Amino acid sequence: MATDILAEITGMLVEIVGDEYLLAEEVTMKTTFNEDLALESIEFVALAELLHHRYGADVDLMGFLAEKDMDAILAMSVGELVTHIGRITHTSLARAAAGYSPASAG
């Protein structure tokens, strides 16, 4: 599952920054958004939008970032985002399998 998510995020990053700057085989779980990819804030916004379209509202990149301090954001790796998405999608799949819906929870 993590490999699939990593591949999808890599594709999104290539779409955002252009493949001339980012070769797909160079992005790993240890790749950092700031140091390695030099992602600008507007590119994070674009990534958040793509993640929302692909995984739904539960994968909220801006909310995920808001839980971190500036040093943690600057040091964040692609692997941290992959893990976060894996955790969120796993929980969503488990809820769906159990017949859970937010409407039935209240």
Side-chain angles (χ1 to χ4, degrees):
M1 182 182 220
T3 306
D4 295 338
I5 295 170
L6 177 61
E8 289 180 351
I9 291 174
T10 300
M12 291 174 192
L13 291 168
V14 167
E15 184 177 330
I16 292 166
V17 301
D19 57 1
E20 65 271 12
Y21 299 109
L22 180 72
L23 298 174
E25 60 268 15
E26 292 180 359
V27 176
T28 69
M29 296 288 276
K30 294 182 180 181
T31 300
T32 61
F33 288 101
N34 183 49
E35 184 78 22
D36 297 325
L37 300 176
L39 233 57
E40 303 285 332
S41 57
I42 191 72
E43 293 166 330
F44 264 111
V45 172
L47 179 59
E49 186 175 316
L50 291 174
L51 290 169
H52 178 82
H53 286 300
R54 169 61 182 94
Y55 296 104
D58 287 343
V59 175
D60 175 15
L61 179 58
M62 294 303 133
F64 180 61
L65 293 175
E67 297 172 358
K68 299 179 175 294
D69 65 21
M70 186 55 73
D71 290 337
I73 291 170
L74 292 174
M76 190 173 83
S77 69
V78 173
E80 288 177 69
L81 181 58
V82 168
T83 300
H84 171 69
I85 292 169
R87 188 171 38 250
I88 297 295
T89 56
H90 177 76
T91 300
S92 296
L93 290 172
R95 285 181 182 160
Y100 172 86
S101 73
S104 66

